[in-house]
Amino acid sequence: MYKTNKQLNRIALITGGNRGLGLELCRQLLRIGFTVLLTSRDLKKGMHAAETLREEGGNIFFHELDVVSLKSINKLKKFILKKFKRLDVLINNAGIMLDHRSHNNSKKFSIYDISMNSLTSTMKTNVFGPFLMCQSFIPIMKKNNYGRIVNISSKAGQLSKVSKGVPMYRLSKVSLNGVTRVFSDEKNNKNILINSVCPGWVKTSMGGPNALLEPAKAIKTIIWLATLGNNGPTGGFFSEKKKIKW
């Protein structure tokens, strides 16, 4: 799928890397010569995923990570600084959709049905998590004058087209796109490119078996954004390698 470049020698961190889209991202980045740090909240599942990829070949490491815990993020940060002394690519992939679990028919699930507990959990994982990751790791990228950050969003979060249905998920992705814009504008002209991406409807535990895309196809734009040249776009929202409206 991608041309191998062993000289690339970049360090990439993927959140939620133990399954689905995150696991396939780890696999494909390994194949093009990245050193990959697979992170997962579930220790056993994360270790198993990393071991599976290690058997396929490539330089992969695992570290436990709960993106809503600053303590957990700081532990990861210390590990990265000690082990690699830098971080080149951050893919904020970890995310949840609780709308389906909150109601039998999510299409009829109204914003008036939202519980504060479910909304808070959604925002913590889908918004506050990527926010804390950016806040923690962009300073490391600035020191090396290089960084690529990809926030996994969704067209459900396009404010220009936002509508009813899965309201908690929509609100979180609208907010995540805001995180992308703010951090992109405050990177102080360093070689750090930060973008949001909609991978499409993907066959994962979240997307379900009826989704249109296999993970291997859905990650193409994510990989493209993670490997942008120095003059690449930043502060944008992309789908199928094309810029789309917020």
Side-chain angles (χ1 to χ4, degrees):
M1 183 186 297
Y2 306 102
K3 293 181 179 180
T4 302
N5 183 359
K6 294 301 182 181
Q7 300 303 314
L8 199 55
N9 194 30
R10 298 292 188 190
I11 311 296
L13 163 61
I14 295 89
T15 67
N18 63 293
R19 65 182 183 181
L21 206 64
L23 182 61
E24 189 62 27
L25 280 166
C26 291
R27 176 177 287 113
Q28 297 301 335
L29 286 171
L30 285 169
R31 289 180 180 177
I32 59 174
F34 274 76
T35 292
V36 172
L37 180 54
L38 183 159
T39 67
S40 168
R41 185 174 60 179
D42 190 303
L43 179 62
K44 290 183 178 180
K45 291 180 179 178
M47 291 179 68
H48 176 73
E51 185 57 35
T52 298
L53 293 179
R54 191 170 291 114
E55 291 174 358
E56 296 178 13
N59 200 22
I60 186 162
F61 296 83
F62 168 74
H63 201 285
E64 187 177 13
L65 173 66
D66 182 352
V67 297
V68 304
S69 167
L70 188 56
K71 181 179 179 180
S72 180
I73 292 173
N74 284 335
K75 285 183 179 179
L76 174 62
K77 185 176 181 179
K78 289 179 181 179
F79 170 80
I80 289 173
L81 289 173
K82 183 177 180 180
K83 184 72 178 179
F84 308 113
K85 296 181 175 58
R86 74 177 202 272
L87 181 67
D88 302 309
V89 174
L90 167 62
I91 301 179
N92 285 311
N93 168 70
I96 58 174
M97 181 190 284
L98 299 183
D99 300 82
H100 292 307
R101 300 178 189 175
S102 301
H103 199 275
N104 290 332
N105 188 341
S106 62
K107 291 183 179 179
K108 294 181 180 180
F109 183 47
S110 167
I111 196 168
Y112 298 106
D113 299 320
I114 290 176
S115 72
M116 281 298 100
N117 285 340
S118 292
L119 178 59
T120 299
S121 295
T122 299
M123 297 299 282
K124 278 185 176 180
T125 300
N126 294 358
V127 184
F128 301 163
F131 175 88
L132 289 172
M133 293 295 288
C134 288
Q135 194 177 55
S136 297
F137 290 103
I138 287 177
I140 297 176
M141 293 176 172
K142 284 182 177 180
K143 289 182 180 180
N144 293 299
N145 196 38
Y146 184 93
R148 303 291 180 264
I149 299 175
V150 187
N151 291 326
I152 309 301
S153 188
S154 168
K155 287 183 179 178
Q158 280 186 284
L159 192 57
S160 57
K161 297 182 179 180
V162 75
S163 61
K164 62 182 179 180
V166 291
M168 294 187 292
Y169 184 74
R170 287 186 187 278
L171 289 171
S172 72
K173 293 305 182 181
V174 169
S175 299
L176 177 60
N177 287 341
V179 168
T180 296
R181 285 291 302 149
V182 172
F183 275 106
S184 177
D185 285 349
E186 291 199 11
K187 64 187 187 310
N188 297 329
N189 295 320
K190 296 291 184 178
N191 183 23
I192 300 171
L193 308 179
I194 308 168
N195 294 287
S196 285
V197 61
C198 173
W201 187 18
V202 190
K203 291 182 180 179
T204 62
S205 58
M206 182 186 293
N210 297 322
L212 302 177
L213 298 173
E214 295 291 343
K217 185 175 182 180
I219 66 170
K220 288 184 177 181
T221 302
I222 303 172
I223 298 287
W224 171 65
L225 290 171
T227 57
L228 286 171
N230 293 343
N231 295 319
T234 189
F237 191 13
F238 293 86
S239 175
E240 298 180 339
K241 297 184 180 180
K242 296 179 180 179
K243 195 170 184 178
I244 61 176
K245 292 182 179 180
W246 292 108

